[in-house]
Amino acid sequence: VYDVSEFIKNHPGGSEKIMMAAGSSLEQWWHIYRQHFASDLPTRLLEHMLIGKLADEDQEAVDEQMEVIYETDKDPFELEPFRNKQLKVHSDQPMNAEVPEQLLTQHYLTPSPIFFKRHHHPVPYLSEDQVKNYKLEIDLSEYGKENMRVSLEDLKAMPKVEVVATLQCSGNRRSGFNVFERTSGTTWGQGAISTAKWGGVRLSDLLKNAGIGDPIEAQEKGKMEHVRLYAIDGVMASIGIEKAMNPYGDVIVAYEMNDEDLPRDHGYPLRLIVPGYAGIRNVKWLKKIELSKEEAEGPWQRGLNYKVLPPNVHDANDVNLDEIPSVNELSVSSGITTVEPVQGSRSDLPPGENVLMKVRGWAFSGGGRNVVRVDVTGDRAKSWMSADLLEGSNQKYGRSWAWTFWEAVVPATVQDDGSVHIYCKAVDMAFNTQPESAKDNWNVRGLINNSWYKRTIMFSR
């Protein structure tokens, strides 16, 4: 028996979810929300909330209940799509998997099978009839307009636009925070980021067709501030009307990914693409769009899930979550994917000597901010050199929705153990740059680790 009253606001899945289990057994809920089995964190947290144990007969009743569930209930994960075995899987129910670093910059457009996957629930399965009859609801009732339902066929008859955009989980590189103190959430390396060419229709066109005339008037006179997004799997999120209606914001309702229908893992039949925003705002399996005065309800918008608390705050009860914005635009970040000695380099150099290393990686900044420089060092930041910017360096100014690849040849100092350390940091068009350490940006949810990226390899022994 557990007393979770002080933990309710800290529950990563949202206070609403944990209250569903109030007064009942945890087992039936953990059978549905199986991310609780992905690490030992949930059980470790519960240890401090234990206040008693069930009587033997009550525990037997719970065990019998679970046996019935296992034998009779349909497994919600039995219709999951096939996944590429090259992915680095953190949990498979629900699927959370990143791109291995050696594959991350092999292709500028990430092949769909190895595109990172971040799910909160089982992947929805739609029958042929359900797809045929699928209609996207656009609800402007709060604005005094009628609801509109749009079929896939009607959507595909509208002017098609294509956007190359990088999606990144706001928890990417969370493992770098855990070096200092453990956070809650999937222990992503640098691979919760990928890029694709998305095809669909502009969200602004859909909203105009539904009855929004002047979005500024809708905002200033109608107090319409938010576009709410609802998914088949229950996820709810929202974006501001400024982004949704901006003709240069390139927000689209997508039905294609890399010139093919969206795969089930990536939102089939429809998803939103919000370039420059955190992955959670790019809602998959989109079923409804709603104009509203208020942001979306639920843990993905208003709860702790996607809010960056100060480094000194470990308990959400110590802050007013309503005063902390959710993550939208992403910070400037970068990563290193390959490091190798320049051909002809000696492999027997003593400590203190320099060796030339060829380094390759990626850089990205949210909000459409172009990456203008990537700095690389091999001598523990005593000196820096600028990398050559490659694919992605010629994107439209202020509409740089995708990552930039880079490459550099860097002199690196051999350490006493024969290793070399390479660091990189990116700079965007607003001259934002990455902080040296994740320690000062630590937060209990492990969001937005954009500290210098460090890669160590053994050069000689």
Side-chain angles (χ1 to χ4, degrees):
V1 179
Y2 302 95
D3 178 2
V4 301
S5 54
E6 295 299 314
F7 179 69
I8 292 172
K9 286 182 68 176
N10 292 287
H11 183 236
S15 56
E16 301 92 341
K17 282 287 194 296
I18 196 171
M19 290 305 295
M20 291 166 62
S24 65
S25 65
L26 281 178
E27 289 89 339
Q28 60 180 317
W29 298 105
W30 283 23
H31 175 63
I32 298 172
Y33 299 104
R34 298 179 189 176
Q35 46 267 63
H36 292 91
F37 301 111
S39 77
D40 66 342
L41 183 61
T43 53
R44 289 199 310 109
L45 290 171
L46 282 172
E47 289 174 1
H48 304 287
M49 306 178 213
L50 182 66
I51 59 172
K53 292 188 177 182
L54 290 176
D56 290 344
E57 59 268 26
D58 291 331
Q59 185 61 57
E60 289 175 5
V62 171
D63 294 341
E64 290 174 3
Q65 176 194 26
M66 291 309 299
E67 286 182 14
V68 171
I69 289 175
Y70 291 139
E71 292 175 2
T72 61
D73 278 19
K74 183 178 180 181
D75 184 352
F77 291 95
E78 70 178 8
L79 296 177
E80 292 289 280
F82 171 82
R83 273 72 183 240
N84 191 290
K85 296 185 183 302
Q86 296 180 93
L87 288 166
K88 180 180 178 182
V89 176
H90 291 278
S91 68
D92 59 359
Q93 293 182 342
M95 176 56 66
N96 289 290
E98 66 180 284
V99 188
E101 66 177 23
Q102 69 271 18
L103 302 180
L104 200 54
T105 53
Q106 279 194 358
H107 307 273
Y108 187 74
L109 297 182
T110 311
S112 301
I114 63 168
F115 200 101
F116 88 94
K117 294 165 178 58
R118 172 66 175 108
H119 298 335
H120 300 270
H121 306 110
V123 173
Y125 177 83
L126 276 66
S127 67
E128 288 186 14
D129 283 343
Q130 286 175 315
V131 173
K132 183 178 179 180
N133 297 315
Y134 194 85
K135 290 189 177 181
L136 176 65
E137 181 180 356
I138 302 177
D139 183 354
L140 302 188
S141 58
E142 198 172 336
Y143 186 50
K145 304 288 184 178
E146 294 185 359
N147 287 13
M148 185 173 81
R149 297 173 67 86
V150 185
S151 69
L152 293 175
E153 185 177 357
D154 290 338
L155 275 171
K156 293 179 180 180
M158 294 178 64
K160 178 183 175 182
V161 294
E162 294 181 332
V163 179
V164 175
T166 294
L167 302 189
Q168 179 179 219
C169 178
S170 54
N172 198 27
R173 299 181 58 199
R174 179 179 283 124
S175 58
F177 283 130
N178 293 342
V179 172
F180 303 101
E181 186 175 351
R182 189 164 183 175
T183 61
S184 65
T186 303
T187 54
W188 299 111
Q190 64 167 318
I193 184 171
S194 300
T195 299
K197 181 173 73 171
W198 309 95
V201 301
R202 294 191 186 279
L203 175 61
S204 58
D205 289 347
L206 275 174
L207 293 175
K208 287 176 183 175
N209 288 351
I212 293 183
D214 182 355
I216 296 178
E217 182 181 12
Q219 183 183 42
E220 294 184 352
K221 293 185 178 180
K223 307 300 181 185
M224 298 291 116
E225 297 284 352
H226 304 275
V227 176
R228 294 179 165 194
L229 311 157
Y230 299 81
I232 296 174
D233 73 332
V235 168
M236 297 177 288
S238 56
I239 61 173
I241 191 173
E242 300 94 340
K243 176 67 173 177
M245 297 300 294
N246 185 348
Y248 301 107
D250 295 320
V251 181
I252 67 170
V253 174
Y255 48 79
E256 285 184 358
M257 177 182 184
N258 291 339
D259 297 316
E260 297 180 342
D261 287 343
L262 287 171
R264 283 182 58 210
D265 260 329
H266 298 293
Y268 181 80
L270 293 175
R271 74 172 300 166
L272 201 72
I273 295 297
V274 190
Y277 274 42
I280 186 62
R281 309 294 159 226
N282 296 259
V283 172
K284 301 186 289 285
W285 312 297
L286 187 63
K287 70 173 184 179
K288 180 181 175 181
I289 299 169
E290 178 186 25
L291 191 63
S292 179
K293 297 177 182 178
E294 303 288 339
E295 65 179 348
E297 304 280 354
W300 301 280
Q301 190 70 38
R302 300 196 186 195
L304 177 63
N305 266 17
Y306 293 94
K307 297 199 174 186
V308 180
L309 271 56
N312 62 307
V313 176
H314 292 69
D315 187 340
N317 292 294
D318 295 337
V319 295
N320 183 351
L321 287 179
D322 292 338
E323 295 179 351
I324 299 174
S326 290
V327 174
N328 283 316
E329 290 186 1
L330 292 164
S331 302
V332 62
S333 191
S334 62
I336 297 170
T337 53
T338 60
V339 179
E340 56 188 9
V342 170
Q343 189 172 5
S345 298
R346 288 173 52 194
S347 60
D348 58 348
L349 290 173
E353 293 292 315
N354 284 342
V355 58
L356 287 178
M357 307 296 290
K358 187 175 183 180
V359 188
R360 185 176 173 87
W362 59 271
F364 177 67
S365 188
R369 293 179 290 275
N370 303 64
V371 170
V372 297
R373 198 175 78 237
V374 175
D375 300 324
V376 189
T377 180
D379 60 6
R380 294 182 178 269
K382 293 176 183 177
S383 62
W384 295 86
M385 64 175 299
S386 295
D388 293 326
L389 302 184
L390 307 173
E391 300 100 322
S393 61
N394 60 349
Q395 297 178 66
K396 291 181 179 179
Y397 196 70
R399 293 168 73 186
S400 179
W401 306 127
W403 56 12
T404 296
F405 286 177
W406 57 266
E407 187 175 85
V409 175
V410 186
T413 305
V414 180
Q415 304 300 309
D416 289 342
D417 62 356
S419 66
V420 295
H421 303 307
I422 310 293
Y423 299 77
C424 72
K425 59 182 175 73
V427 181
D428 70 18
M429 61 181 272
F431 296 97
N432 300 306
T433 191
Q434 300 174 234
E436 179 176 354
S437 172
K439 184 177 182 179
D440 295 332
N441 288 338
W442 185 93
N443 58 93
V444 71
R445 283 292 291 128
L447 303 174
I448 314 296
N449 177 12
N450 71 326
S451 58
W452 295 358
Y453 193 87
K454 176 185 177 182
R455 178 77 179 271
T456 298
I457 68 164
M458 295 304 299
F459 173 70
S460 63
R461 296 185 183 276

